[in-house]
Amino acid sequence: MSPWEAVLTIAGLGVITVLTRSFFLLPERELHLPGWVKRGLKYAPLAALAAVIAPEVLMTQGELITTWRDARIFGLAAATAYYFWRRDILGTILVGMALYLPLRLGLGW
């Protein structure tokens, strides 16, 4: 790829990014969204987080985990139980890592 092609590609990607991200800022009046869209948007951050975390926890080398001797499963179980007990995000992270790290580093899971 020549330097001009690289510059043209980067500029094109920049223009597309600006246009798509400013789509909601361009109209002069507020866009009216149906109620079902507004209700669905409340769950978008949770869905995005699950989409990022689930493959990391449940897969290894592109395959589903086939053994129970994986520190991620126990860390996830402990973190989930703590969250439903206390509803505290920081505590959830700390409990999950407190179980994950000894199993991973100590036992080599």
Side-chain angles (χ1 to χ4, degrees), residues 33-76:
L33 297 174
W36 63 271
V37 172
K38 289 179 183 178
R39 285 191 306 274
L41 286 175
K42 290 190 329 187
Y43 300 105
L46 179 60
L49 184 62
V52 169
I53 291 176
E56 180 62 33
V57 172
L58 301 175
M59 298 180 81
T60 299
Q61 303 290 331
E63 300 287 329
L64 287 175
I65 295 173
T66 58
T67 179
W68 61 271
R69 292 184 60 179
D70 195 313
R72 296 175 292 179
I73 295 172
F74 291 100
L76 175 66

Side-chain angles (χ1 to χ4, degrees), residues 7 16 20 99 103:
V7 169
I16 290 171
T20 57
L99 188 60
L103 290 175

Side-chain angles (χ1 to χ4, degrees), residues 5-43:
E5 290 174 327
V7 169
L8 183 62
T9 301
I10 292 170
L13 289 172
V15 168
I16 290 171
T17 301
V18 168
L19 286 177
T20 57
R21 292 186 182 258
S22 65
F23 176 71
F24 292 103
L25 301 174
L26 296 177
E28 292 184 13
R29 62 181 180 88
E30 184 176 340
L31 293 174
H32 178 44
L33 297 174
W36 63 271
V37 172
K38 289 179 183 178
R39 285 191 306 274
L41 286 175
K42 290 190 329 187
Y43 300 105

